[in-house]
Amino acid sequence: MPDESASAGLEQLTDDLHARRAKALAMGGEERVTQQHDKKKLTARERVSLLFDAGTFVELGMLAHQHSMTGGPTEPDRTPADGVVTGEGLIDGRRVYCAAYDFTVMAGSMGMVGEQKVARLRKRALLNRLPMVWLLDSAGARIQEAAGSTFAGSGALFYEQVQMSGVVPQVAAMLGPCAAGTAYIPGLADYVPMVKETSSMALGGARLVKAATGEETSDHAMGGSQIHCYISGVGDLEVDDDAACIAAAREFLSFLPSNNREMAPRRDTQDLRDRRIDDLGKLVPVNPRAAYDMRKVLKRLADDGHVFEIKPAWARNIVTAFVRFDGQSTGVVASQPMIKGGALDIDAADKAARFITLCDAFNVPLVFLQDVPGFIVGTEVEKQGIIRHGAKMLYAVSEATVPKVTVVLRKAYGAGYYVMCGRGYEPDALVAWPSAEISVMGPEGAVDIIFPKQIAAADDPSAARKEYIEAVRKTIDPYIAASWAFVDDIIDPADTRRVIIDALEGAATKRQRRVWRKHGVRPV
Amino acid sequence: MTEVKAELVGNLWKIVVEVGQAVEEDDTLMILESMKMEIPITTPISGTVKEILVKEGEVVQEGRTVAIVE
């Protein structure tokens, strides 16, 4: 005989469970959810369902909530899930962990229980070698719980993020505020898309700034996407809304493996590997002084014309982007003659160095498209520490052991040629267009340094200078570099795509070992 | 009213617009010679060229306002 009372008891208990779950799913309640929507923001749970493939999200710690720190009553209803939705799910069929801060619960502030939930995710991400995504919309640490010297025990979240760095991809999607110390979450992440208007990050929120220094500002003015995606370079992409931000996070991950021991995923393409590109001559002027938009060249070369740029609005004099070549995920570092003539400055060097390091950490091969007049010189850039910043790029390109392919389109001058993976940096293939100019510097500069006395002593100094310039110009010729076998080949520009794909495939089995060291002393 | 600024130091080679001229976003206003390149200085907005604040042949410092577009 079944025990009916016991079965009714279990039913009751189950009903109670569902009621508790329903409360957690309701987040901060109808009013707060409406306020969230009124701000053109999605709720944490709506965001999570956009992030993951339909029906794959498994939540962890849904029934957690805040506990009173002062011995007063605990109010589970006020803090469903303790303000952060955590769990795992699939993105394009691959498992990823996610922490989505819920602004409808105490402004998404980071409480002790919520932080314990996120800590568990970080631990799992590292143990299981799987990526982690933060969906940030949080006022920062929950001061009600954190004020006072128990602070001495905190901070491990960043330590753990550093241990994850280069092992699993980390994405911090900025969907609201991310004030105070928690801004180091994006600071340590590999990719940081930001929603225009609603998102912000700053080491001190506006109210703290006012208290600390007296400066009047707002979170948006201080740390919105207009600052971080254009000026500071902390943000990677400015997007219009939450959906676009989450789509960017998904796409970023599509170019990377789940961890540093795997290869980046390949994707099928209908684009022909040997597709010739006959109109590159129209895009790239032969006059080496004339500017053009390198992004258009890259679009022509990449599979299906698809380019996923990292930091497109910051340090625009260099382009860093993920593309696919015959389905192979590839990182591209390309000069941008359209901006500052493609000359390198401190921000361009930082942007490229970081991108190269990212690709190398996750086994994504690199392609360099060179049309670089060199590093900007002069008093201004020396004050900014151009040597120190340029050294970062030298360091990154030297350290990278992934397949490296270099194409010289036009100019390859001075240290610009080095940092864009010239011969000394062991590219697996180094090819040049017939228009290439590889040299320590342009003929004009060279003449003024090598022949100043001869020019001054001539009857007609101006004519003499021109003669010397012409003489030096003749020594800048890609066929000279090819005749010494410093470049592997001079190629028909129309064949560039095929040449890149062949070279990447040729180097796909590359395994490079370095001399053992704890780590190098990286310039910063 | 938008101040158009030089993005890097260079020799102002050519001014290709006149005061009062209508311009579209991204149109070239003038060309700077720097780092062996002819670098266009473009307008970030569509409008009318209100003022030109430099002369051809002048050395322009980074960040200097070279024109005003309204």
Side-chain angles (χ1 to χ4, degrees):
Chain A
M1 283 287 286
D3 183 341
E4 276 181 27
S5 66
S7 139
L10 190 56
E11 218 165 89
Q12 237 169 22
L13 291 174
T14 312
D15 286 348
D16 176 49
L17 167 64
H18 287 303
R20 287 168 187 260
R21 283 195 173 170
K23 269 188 190 162
L25 291 173
M27 298 174 280
E30 224 169 282
E31 196 187 321
R32 292 235 163 76
V33 167
T34 305
Q35 284 170 0
Q36 178 84 350
H37 286 154
D38 287 348
K39 283 186 233 159
K40 296 208 171 82
K41 297 200 292 186
L42 298 176
T43 64
R45 292 184 181 281
E46 287 164 341
R47 289 164 177 167
V48 166
S49 60
L50 274 182
L51 178 68
F52 291 117
D53 301 346
T56 65
F57 179 62
V58 177
E59 185 163 351
L60 308 163
M62 181 200 270
L63 301 174
H65 58 77
Q66 184 188 19
H67 292 267
S68 167
M69 305 300 290
T70 53
T74 295
E75 299 174 89
D77 291 355
R78 269 192 70 210
T79 55
D82 202 29
V84 58
V85 178
T86 52
E88 60 187 81
L90 303 182
I91 294 180
D92 292 334
R94 296 188 298 161
R95 193 163 302 278
V96 173
Y97 293 97
C98 168
Y101 287 89
D102 180 355
F103 200 81
T104 68
V105 175
M106 296 186 83
S109 58
M110 297 172 182
M112 284 183 72
V113 175
E115 177 48 25
Q116 198 172 303
K117 287 171 43 172
V118 182
R120 195 161 297 151
L121 285 194
R122 285 193 300 266
K123 200 170 180 183
R124 281 201 187 191
L126 195 54
L127 275 174
N128 297 334
R129 303 284 198 269
L130 296 171
M132 170 107 183
V133 174
W134 287 260
L135 302 179
L136 288 158
D137 187 1
S138 164
R142 195 174 291 162
I143 302 300
Q144 294 89 327
E145 294 181 23
S149 291
T150 53
F151 177 75
S154 67
L157 72 168
F158 305 131
Y159 178 88
E160 288 169 18
Q161 254 189 284
V162 174
Q163 308 314 309
M164 291 159 74
S165 175
V167 181
V168 297
Q170 302 181 55
V171 175
M174 308 303 295
L175 302 146
C178 185
T182 46
Y184 281 125
I185 295 174
L188 291 167
D190 301 319
Y191 186 60
V192 184
M194 294 187 78
V195 181
K196 208 173 173 171
E197 303 298 336
T198 50
S199 80
S200 65
M201 51 181 158
L203 282 193
R207 272 188 291 177
L208 181 76
V209 167
K210 172 80 177 145
T213 69
E215 185 189 354
E216 300 260 8
T217 183
S218 69
D219 287 345
H220 176 71
M222 184 168 39
S225 58
Q226 83 287 358
I227 299 295
H228 290 308
C229 298
Y230 293 83
I231 298 168
S232 78
V234 181
D236 283 303
L237 180 71
E238 180 185 64
V239 293
D240 284 335
D241 55 29
D242 286 16
C245 193
I246 290 163
R250 284 179 59 103
E251 174 149 29
F252 174 79
L253 290 173
S254 80
F255 288 99
L256 298 178
S258 293
N259 62 61
N260 62 336
R261 301 302 289 269
E262 292 179 8
M263 301 308 283
R266 290 188 72 96
R267 219 176 241 192
D268 288 341
T269 176
Q270 301 300 313
D271 205 347
L272 296 175
R273 55 179 290 145
D274 55 357
R275 172 167 57 82
R276 279 176 57 89
I277 306 154
D278 292 315
D279 63 344
L280 284 180
K282 265 184 235 155
L283 287 179
V284 181
V286 179
N287 171 12
R289 296 170 57 82
Y292 63 95
D293 189 350
M294 181 65 92
R295 289 173 308 176
K296 289 185 182 160
V297 175
L298 184 52
K299 256 183 114 110
R300 293 286 204 287
L301 294 173
D303 282 4
D304 309 306
H306 188 63
V307 176
F308 184 71
E309 243 192 278
I310 305 293
K311 302 191 197 293
W314 183 69
R316 293 184 304 142
N317 41 339
I318 199 153
V319 174
T320 52
F322 286 111
V323 302
R324 291 187 178 84
F325 279 115
D326 196 33
Q328 166 68 55
S329 166
T330 306
V332 176
V333 179
S335 312
Q336 174 54 295
M338 197 70 180
I339 309 292
K340 299 188 179 182
L344 297 163
D345 56 9
I346 58 165
D347 288 347
D350 281 10
K351 174 173 161 179
R354 179 162 169 87
F355 182 72
I356 291 166
T357 303
L358 171 72
C359 290
D360 188 49
F362 291 110
N363 310 316
V364 176
L366 287 160
V367 168
F368 297 85
L369 302 178
Q370 289 207 16
D371 194 342
V372 56
F375 279 90
I376 296 175
V377 293
T379 53
E380 201 47 49
V381 291
E382 292 305 336
K383 280 186 219 157
Q384 296 166 350
I386 186 88
I387 299 170
R388 174 164 71 77
H389 292 277
K392 295 183 211 176
M393 201 172 163
L394 276 178
Y395 206 96
V397 76
S398 305
E399 288 250 287
T401 57
V402 290
K404 295 186 278 195
V405 175
T406 305
V407 182
V408 181
L409 280 65
R410 293 193 317 187
K411 286 194 285 298
Y413 281 121
Y417 166 69
Y418 295 168
V419 296
M420 294 287 287
C421 205
R423 173 50 68 202
Y425 298 81
E426 304 199 344
D428 298 281
L430 167 59
V431 298
W433 286 11
S435 46
E437 297 182 2
I438 306 172
S439 176
V440 64
M441 64 176 73
E444 292 85 356
V447 161
D448 292 340
I449 292 167
I450 307 169
F451 305 112
K453 285 183 191 153
Q454 291 89 330
I455 291 170
D459 294 336
D460 182 349
S462 160
R465 181 165 182 271
K466 272 187 191 146
E467 271 173 40
Y468 280 117
I469 288 172
E470 281 318 305
V472 172
R473 199 185 300 281
K474 286 199 184 96
T475 67
I476 301 175
D477 174 347
Y479 293 100
I480 295 175
S483 74
W484 285 85
F486 292 140
V487 303
D488 296 317
D489 203 4
I490 310 292
I491 63 165
D492 178 346
D495 290 331
T496 305
R497 174 177 159 85
R498 180 184 56 75
V499 170
I500 289 172
I501 290 171
D502 283 348
L504 289 175
E505 212 170 85
T509 51
K510 182 179 181 183
R511 296 289 178 271
Q512 193 166 21
R513 285 266 167 95
R514 302 290 198 198
V515 173
W516 185 89
R517 55 183 165 184
K518 188 173 169 191
H519 53 68
V521 184
R522 192 172 270 269
V524 289
Chain B
M1 194 191 84
T2 296
E3 294 181 345
V4 182
K5 292 184 160 66
E7 279 189 326
L8 78 170
V9 57
N11 182 37
L12 195 90
W13 180 47
K14 237 194 251 182
I15 298 172
V16 299
V17 291
E18 288 168 3
V19 170
Q21 193 174 324
V23 287
E24 298 279 324
E25 184 183 332
D26 280 341
D27 275 359
T28 298
L29 305 183
M30 41 193 93
I31 299 171
L32 203 61
E33 250 185 327
S34 183
M35 295 301 297
K36 308 175 271 281
M37 288 287 292
E38 294 159 13
I39 298 166
I41 299 178
T42 58
T43 169
I45 59 160
S46 300
T48 309
V49 180
K50 192 82 187 157
E51 269 183 87
I52 291 176
L53 302 162
V54 285
K55 287 197 285 288
E56 286 183 0
E58 206 177 325
V59 173
V60 176
Q61 293 300 321
E62 176 181 337
R64 165 140 174 228
T65 303
V66 294
I68 291 170
V69 176
E70 208 170 46

